[in-house]
């Protein structure tokens, strides 16, 4: 935000005229939270350029367009005439005898940092250069009467036309920037987005006054102007135009005033100068008033030529999909229903909060003007500006949220300026469509709590003084503070404490030791430690950690062959995505892992083994009222050497490393996971709880990602694993009694998973079964077609006695009966 110092301080009694005083003020404002980016003097780079009087003009003998001029640039005691006359060659078409022109002397610096030196043009000596507006870094529009192309001639500019020759002669030899009134100092502030009030000259003036009053103790005051409107026109605004708001949720307040007998012309010099210093181009008095109020109050405004409002009715509504509107920059925009438009009875005349329509612009013969001041929903304005590719000063302010009270003051200020500039007569009355009046907000806080929070010992009087200077109402006896309507960022006691702290003075806050109650022992959480253990284990197994984006493209669901209606397709859609490839939050880690493997394979990496500990985002029943579930997964993926059983061994090694004891493997449901190989898919259960899956990728999916067919992947639910982790291992005494070992081989159908048999043997073996280990799996002629033989080594032991054959036989009988009943197995002999 560029703030001309003269303009900003005109609302205070602060005196800062010298460079040192201005820099001190800027430094103090940075300390109080209004960060200053730079302090710039307007036209500072222009030097050694003075006003000269053209005494003679004659054609250049070696050119058909150059002219040789004799220019008087001031007094010179060494010259016989007492005047310093320079010979300057120029190609300017408007040079003439008697013209008072800016003249750059030898060594002068003009706009762009260019240095002017004496030289020759077509063989004729030229001792300087006469300048145009562009060469001085100025805009001809800011000086009515001046020409954009050609030399600046003072007496052609409106403000110098009435001066006598003696008065004009007094300018000869004077610095051109001083004569043109182009001097001034501008402070460029970096304003945070939550301080919408500081995107205005008045807001910065308030900050400057409170800073000067509280941090320097010089007793400065903020003089907030109260607009006074005389309403000299006999007409009433309701007689000229009607206003309807059809989208009150997006436009809580819309106000309008009308001005008749409009006289379009240039703005006065003081207004043009302030706008110029703030970086805004002067156009005409009506447009300049809207820009001036926007900068002064931070409230964007728009002026409509009433002749362009068809049916004399303004409607604030949502745009229709595909609706067309040509904006003031002469570009046709295509709108949709997410945008807000200002329309008349036949169509849109402005994109609300962004830019007006071309047809509604103010013209030289505009007789009546309607001023608009409104509050539009910031999110809607931002989205609309982004969609049509048009971000303006207005939209940038609406995005941050504006004050409905300031909306009314800004409209009155515009009407006041119309009367002050003689630009027309303000009609009686105001149209005000205010659907949701703003209620004062009470923020609970107390003096002692603020002092404790900051670590200071400010008195109640100090706090009340600071907060009241900022526009707050203090009610410490009742335990609350009411922020002003323009401070929507003051929501809780910590915000009030911050206001006190920055004007109490950060440098006044004394250092102190911690009392003990604030301190806490640092360290990793249990989950963080387990994640580190997983990383160390997988790194030791030869895996490399990968980091992938949490969002992706909905097209990955097709690559995974997911059917329509699959739960994984129901992803959280990002409101403002970077593009279609990053438009949804991932519901599965499989696409992320396969894309990383594909990238490695494309770079001719023969063997890849990757892992990641990250989140997927699953909608809950209460979505969107609450955030989606953040489910942490441990993902392993690789291709190359490992086969299915090697990969299963890596999963088991991980489970043992994190001390998960009770886990089982079961065949996976390939129908539910079409991206996995139907014969090489396994589900993991931990303590009977589903903990994820692992297996080989389906060949069709592997081909879609252009990765090898032997690609393996595992997605394990971290919470299921970590909940089953034994944090403190328990040691067992060495056994006192010998073990009894038996081998058993059973013949059963090939379709029966070995894990089911293993689990049943452990259940039937009872407490004396110490271990059960599969040592052989045979398929062949000796067991018959469709059959297999599983051989187990069983170890029995009791902690309190030596087992007898009878004890073991009883357990073996239960085991054999169980496998026969459950799986139709028979003992192999």
């Amino acid at each position: 935000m560029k703030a001309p110092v003269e303009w900003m301080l005109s609302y205070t009694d602060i005196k800062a005229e010298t460079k040192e005083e201005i820099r001190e003020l800027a430094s103090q404002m940075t300390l109080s939270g209004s960060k200053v980016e730079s302090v710039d003097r307007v036209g500072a780079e222009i030097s050694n350029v003075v006003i000269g009087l053209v005494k003679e003009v004659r054609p250049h003998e070696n050119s058909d367009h150059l002219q040789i001029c004799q220019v008087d640039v001031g007094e010179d005691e060494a010259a016989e005439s007492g005047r310093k006359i320079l010979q300057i060659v120029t190609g300017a078409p408007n040079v003439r005898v008697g013209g008072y022109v800016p003249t750059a002397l030898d060594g002068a610096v003009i706009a762009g940092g260019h240095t002017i030196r004496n030289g020759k043009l077509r063989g004729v000596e030229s001792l300087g250069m006469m300048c145009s507006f562009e060469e001085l870094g100025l805009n001809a529009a800011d000086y009515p009467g001046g020409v954009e192309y050609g030399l600046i001639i003072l007496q052609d500019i409106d403000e110098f036309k009435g001066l006598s020759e003696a008065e004009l002669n007094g300018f000869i030899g004077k610095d051109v920037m001083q004569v043109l009134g182009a001097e001034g100092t501008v402070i460029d502030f970096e304003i945070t987005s939550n301080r919408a009030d500081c995107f205005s000259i008045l807001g910065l003036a308030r900050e400057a006054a409170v800073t000067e009053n509280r941090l320097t103790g010089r007793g400065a005051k903020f003089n907030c102007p109260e607009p006074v409107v005389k309403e000299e026109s006999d007409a009433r605004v309701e007689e000229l135009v009607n206003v309807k708001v059809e989208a009150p949720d997006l436009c809580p307040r819309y106000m309008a005033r009308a001005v008749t007998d409009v006289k379009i012309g240039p703005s006065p010099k003081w207004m043009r100068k302030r706008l110029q210093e703030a970086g805004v181009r002067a156009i005409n008095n009506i447009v300049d008033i809207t820009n001036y109020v926007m900068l002064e109050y931070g409230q964007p405004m728009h002026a409509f030529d009433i002749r362009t409002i068809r049916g004399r009715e303004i409607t604030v509504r949502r745009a229709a999909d595909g609706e067309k509107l040509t904006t003031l920059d002469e570009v046709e925009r295509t709108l949709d229903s997410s945008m807000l438009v200002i329309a008349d009875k036949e169509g849109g005349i402005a994109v609300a909060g962004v830019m007006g329509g071309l047809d509604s612009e103010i013209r030289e013969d505009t007789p009546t003007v309607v001023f608009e001041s409104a509050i539009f929903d910031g999110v809607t304005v931002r989205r609309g500006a982004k969609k049509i590719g048009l971000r303006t000063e207005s939209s940038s302010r609406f995005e941050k949220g504006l004050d409905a009270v300031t909306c009314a003051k800004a409209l009155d200020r515009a009407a006041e300026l119309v009367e002050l500039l003689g630009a027309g007569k303000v009609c009686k009355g105001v149209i005000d469509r205010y659907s949701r009046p703003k209620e004062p907000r009470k923020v609970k806080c107390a003096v002692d709590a603020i002092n404790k929070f900051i670590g200071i010992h400010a008195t109640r009087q100090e706090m009340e003084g600071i907060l009241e200077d900022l526009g707050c109402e203090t009610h410490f006896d009742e335990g609350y503070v009411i922020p002003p309507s323009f401070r929507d960022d003051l929501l809780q006691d910590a915000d009030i404490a911050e206001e006190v702290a920055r004007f109490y003075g950060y440098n006044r806050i004394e250092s102190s030791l911690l009392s003990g109650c604030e301190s806490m022992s640092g360290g990793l959480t249990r989950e963080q430690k387990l994640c580190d253990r997983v990383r160390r284990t997988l790194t030791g197994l030869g895996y490399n950690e990968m980091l992938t984006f949490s969002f992706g493209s909905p097209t990955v669901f097709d690559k995974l062959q997911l059917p329509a209606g699959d739960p994984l397709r129901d992803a959280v859609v990002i409101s403002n995505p970077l593009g279609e490839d990053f438009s949804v939050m991932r519901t599965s880690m499989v696409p992320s892992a396969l894309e990383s493997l594909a990238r490695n394979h494309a770079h001719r990496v023969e063997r890849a083994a990757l892992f990641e500990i990250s989140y997927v985002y699953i909608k809950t029943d209460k979505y969107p009222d609450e955030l989606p579930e953040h489910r942490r997964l441990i993902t392993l993926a690789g291709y190359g050497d490992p086969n299915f059983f090697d990969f299963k061994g890596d999963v088991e090694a991980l489970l043992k490393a994190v001390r998960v004891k009770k886990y089982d493997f079961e065949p996976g449901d390939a129908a539910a996971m079409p991206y996995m190989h139907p014969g090489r898919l396994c589900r993991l259960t931990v303590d009977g709880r589903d903990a994820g899956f692992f297996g080989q990728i389906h060949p069709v999916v592997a081909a879609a990602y252009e990765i090898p067919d032997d690609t393996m992947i595992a997605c394990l639910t971290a919470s299921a694993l970590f909940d089953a982790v034994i944090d403190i291992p328990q040691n067992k005494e060495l056994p006192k009694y010998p073990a009894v070992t038996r081998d058993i081989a059973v013949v059963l159908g090939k379709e029966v998973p070995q894990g089911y048999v293993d689990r049943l043997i452990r259940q039937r073996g009872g407490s004396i079964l110490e271990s059960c280990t599969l040592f052989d799996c045979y398929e062949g002629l000796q067991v018959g077609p469709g059959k297999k033989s599983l051989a187990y080594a069983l170890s029995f032991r009791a902690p309190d006695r030596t087992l007898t054959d009878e004890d073991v036989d009883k357990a073996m009988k239960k085991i054999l009966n169980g496998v026969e009943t459950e799986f139709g197995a028979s003992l192999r002999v």
Side-chain angles (χ1 to χ4, degrees), residues 747-748 750 778-789:
V747 179
L748 68 170
K750 289 175 61 175
Y778 172 75
E779 297 178 18
L781 295 175
Q782 297 184 23
V783 296
K787 300 287 186 177
K788 65 181 176 182
S789 170

Side-chain angles (χ1 to χ4, degrees), residues 39-315:
V39 179
D40 306 309
R41 292 193 69 82
V42 178
E45 66 176 343
I46 308 299
S47 65
N48 211 21
V49 181
V50 300
I51 297 297
L53 172 62
V54 180
K55 306 288 288 185
E56 178 185 330
V57 179
R58 59 185 175 86
H60 194 297
E61 55 266 28
N62 298 322
S63 174
D64 58 355
H65 70 282
L66 296 178
Q67 301 183 80
I68 301 171
C69 305
Q70 303 298 320
V71 183
D72 179 358
V73 293
E75 298 178 356
D76 184 359
E77 296 179 357
E80 292 183 7
S81 63
R83 308 295 295 180
K84 185 175 183 178
I85 307 297
L86 300 180
Q87 178 174 284
I88 298 176
V89 179
T90 181
N94 64 331
V95 65
R96 67 176 187 265
V97 174
Y100 295 82
V101 297
T103 307
L105 308 179
D106 183 39
V109 178
I110 61 174
H114 302 293
T115 302
I116 304 302
R117 295 294 183 189
N118 294 340
K120 289 186 177 182
L121 289 176
R122 299 283 181 92
V124 176
E125 187 176 42
S126 182
L127 306 178
M129 183 182 79
M130 292 179 283
C131 302
S132 65
F133 284 107
E134 182 179 3
E135 288 156 344
L136 296 180
L138 302 176
N139 190 340
D142 295 328
Y143 299 90
V147 293
E148 186 173 358
Y149 303 103
L151 298 179
I152 300 173
I153 299 180
L154 284 190
Q155 59 265 46
D156 289 347
I157 298 175
D158 290 354
E159 65 181 282
F160 295 100
K161 282 182 178 178
L163 299 182
S164 65
E165 184 177 349
E167 290 173 316
L168 290 171
N169 284 336
F171 294 136
I172 298 176
K174 301 291 185 182
D175 182 88
V176 65
M177 304 305 281
Q178 182 179 356
V179 173
L180 292 176
E183 291 183 316
T185 303
V186 177
I187 300 179
D188 192 358
F189 291 92
E190 179 185 326
I191 309 299
T192 55
S193 57
N194 66 316
R195 290 300 305 274
D197 62 300
C198 285
F199 283 89
S200 66
I201 300 298
L202 285 174
L204 291 171
R206 182 185 293 104
E207 291 287 309
V210 181
T211 297
E212 193 77 358
N213 186 27
R214 295 293 162 181
L215 296 188
T216 66
R218 287 195 273 263
K221 292 183 179 180
F222 171 59
N223 304 313
C224 185
E226 288 296 331
V228 177
V229 186
K230 298 178 181 178
E231 298 182 345
E232 297 176 343
S233 175
D234 294 331
R236 295 194 61 82
V237 62
E238 296 89 348
E239 299 170 356
L240 300 177
V241 67
N242 183 38
V243 173
K244 293 194 303 183
V245 178
E246 295 181 354
D249 54 324
L250 304 183
C251 178
R253 190 170 200 180
Y254 190 98
M255 305 183 69
R257 273 187 179 274
V259 177
T260 60
D261 300 327
V262 173
K263 299 178 179 63
I264 303 297
S267 301
K269 181 179 179 180
W270 61 268
M271 180 176 282
R272 297 198 312 271
K273 181 176 183 294
R274 288 181 173 183
L275 291 174
Q276 177 188 3
E277 290 177 352
V280 177
R281 180 171 62 92
I283 298 175
N284 59 52
N285 49 6
I286 296 297
V287 176
D288 291 350
I289 285 172
T290 62
N291 289 331
Y292 188 89
V293 173
M294 178 184 70
L295 294 173
E296 187 177 42
Y297 280 81
Q299 171 66 49
M301 296 186 63
H302 189 68
F304 296 100
D305 184 334
I306 200 169
R307 297 175 301 181
T308 66
I309 303 175
R310 292 157 295 193
R312 298 291 177 93
E313 184 171 278
I314 293 176
T315 303

Side-chain angles (χ1 to χ4, degrees), residues 546 548-549 551-560 562 568 586-599 612 616 633 635 637 675 693 697 701 705 707 713 715:
M546 60 180 174
T548 59
F549 290 120
F551 35 75
S553 169
T555 59
V556 299
F557 302 133
D558 296 328
K559 294 177 75 172
L560 295 182
L562 294 177
L568 293 182
R586 65 184 174 198
T587 55
S588 171
M589 287 295 297
V590 174
S592 300
L594 297 186
E595 287 168 6
S596 297
L597 291 178
R599 196 172 297 111
E612 181 173 7
V616 293
L633 299 183
T635 305
Y675 46 88
F693 68 91
I697 290 295
V701 176
Y705 279 94
I707 53 178
I713 191 166
C715 293

Side-chain angles (χ1 to χ4, degrees), residues 421-462:
L421 272 55
K425 295 181 180 180
V426 178
C427 295
K428 292 178 172 57
V430 180
I431 294 176
D432 187 2
R433 304 291 183 258
Y434 197 5
S435 60
R436 292 177 300 180
K438 195 173 184 179
E439 296 294 332
R441 181 175 59 256
K442 295 181 180 180
V443 178
K444 293 182 179 180
C445 59
V447 173
D448 292 341
I450 292 175
N451 277 329
K452 184 178 180 181
F453 185 82
I454 306 172
I456 60 176
H457 302 284
T459 65
R460 173 174 170 170
Q461 287 71 25
E462 283 183 285

